[in-house]
Amino acid sequence: MQEAPFSMKKPNIAKLVEFGFAEKDGAYTYETRIAQGQLQMTVTVSGGNAHARVINPATGEEYVLHRTAGAVGAFVGMVRADHEAVLTEIAEACFEPDVFKSARAQEAISYVRAVYGSELEFLWKRFPGNAVWRREDTRKWYGVLLAVPERKLGIASDGTAEIIDLRADPGVLAALVDGERYFPGYHMNKKHWLTIRLNGSVSAEEIFCRIDESYRLAVK
């Protein structure tokens, strides 16, 4: 079972090793003591997923009360807190965001990194599916990547859409919006921002040109 702190993240193997994980047969394992040394916690990362077990060394049995919603008491509370703290530390030190899966999103990320040297910034912990690119000089956003319900775009579907918000000249924006590939800026100023659906309906080359224009418009 994937632990919650690792949701929408992928492991960085070099950082796992640096943190203290040991590799065996393609799996990476880290052991530590929690609950004032009374229990042993083992975190295993394999196939991109992470899960943890807590063992009572005195009996060799797995301790599970910290995962039981109705379990209460000072010791259970301490185990829960320690368990969560270890997972959070590992997630922050050894894992990277892994939100956007579509080919177009990955191509856009690679293009921006190569041409502008920008990395996505995940600014909101409550919204891990939202990230931005900013110019170094003006600190203004020139791109936003999001994963949103398709119905929020007016599409009759229960699926999730990966989209990119980009700055655009109002005249260009008005000519492009068609409700299928191009949309008014999602959660942005709809006169100056354009949303592109990253489902393959718009070519990578066209998206790159739109990114270039958005970067230019973010100068002021």
Side-chain angles (χ1 to χ4, degrees):
M1 180 181 66
Q2 178 81 311
E3 303 284 354
F6 305 101
S7 176
M8 293 195 288
K9 293 184 178 182
K10 60 183 177 182
N12 182 312
I13 300 302
K15 291 182 178 179
L16 287 176
V17 173
E18 182 181 347
F19 191 87
F21 279 77
E23 187 273 338
K24 183 178 180 180
D25 298 329
Y28 293 80
T29 302
Y30 174 79
E31 295 182 352
T32 188
R33 290 292 184 113
I34 62 174
Q36 298 179 344
Q38 298 177 70
L39 298 175
Q40 178 176 299
M41 179 174 172
T42 301
V43 181
T44 302
V45 179
S46 179
N49 293 321
H51 65 275
R53 295 182 71 207
V54 176
I55 302 294
N56 184 337
T59 64
E61 296 180 349
E62 184 173 2
Y63 183 90
V64 297
L65 288 179
H66 62 298
R67 296 189 184 276
T68 305
V72 297
F75 186 75
V76 175
M78 177 170 59
V79 175
R80 282 198 187 106
D82 288 355
H83 180 268
E84 184 69 19
V86 171
L87 294 182
T88 299
E89 182 182 8
I90 292 171
E92 293 179 352
C94 307
F95 281 66
E96 302 169 347
D98 186 28
V99 178
F100 307 107
K101 309 291 187 181
S102 69
R104 287 292 180 269
Q106 290 298 315
E107 288 163 349
I109 292 169
S110 296
Y111 178 80
V112 168
R113 180 180 294 128
V115 175
Y116 299 110
S118 301
E119 296 292 342
L120 283 171
E121 297 180 51
F122 292 82
L123 302 178
W124 307 279
K125 288 188 176 181
R126 289 183 57 197
F127 303 101
N130 299 355
V132 306
W133 286 302
R134 286 193 276 196
R135 286 187 61 127
E136 285 294 325
D137 50 0
T138 65
R139 302 306 295 161
K140 288 191 174 183
W141 299 359
Y142 64 92
V144 185
L145 274 180
L146 308 100
V148 302
E150 289 186 323
R151 290 192 182 277
K152 290 193 174 183
L153 298 175
I155 300 169
S157 168
D158 292 325
T160 298
E162 292 186 5
I163 60 175
I164 184 170
D165 284 349
L166 298 169
R167 294 174 184 266
D169 286 320
V172 172
L173 189 157
L176 287 174
V177 169
D178 58 12
E180 295 181 3
R181 303 180 306 152
Y182 293 96
F183 302 81
Y186 181 80
H187 272 306
M188 305 298 282
N189 185 316
K190 297 187 182 339
K191 291 184 178 180
H192 299 282
W193 285 82
L194 178 73
T195 290
I196 304 175
R197 193 177 175 194
L198 299 175
N199 65 344
S201 58
V202 179
S203 71
E205 291 72 19
E206 186 168 349
I207 292 172
F208 298 162
C209 289
R210 303 288 174 207
I211 291 173
D212 293 340
E213 177 65 5
S214 186
Y215 186 88
R216 182 187 68 80
L217 290 171
V219 73
K220 294 182 180 180

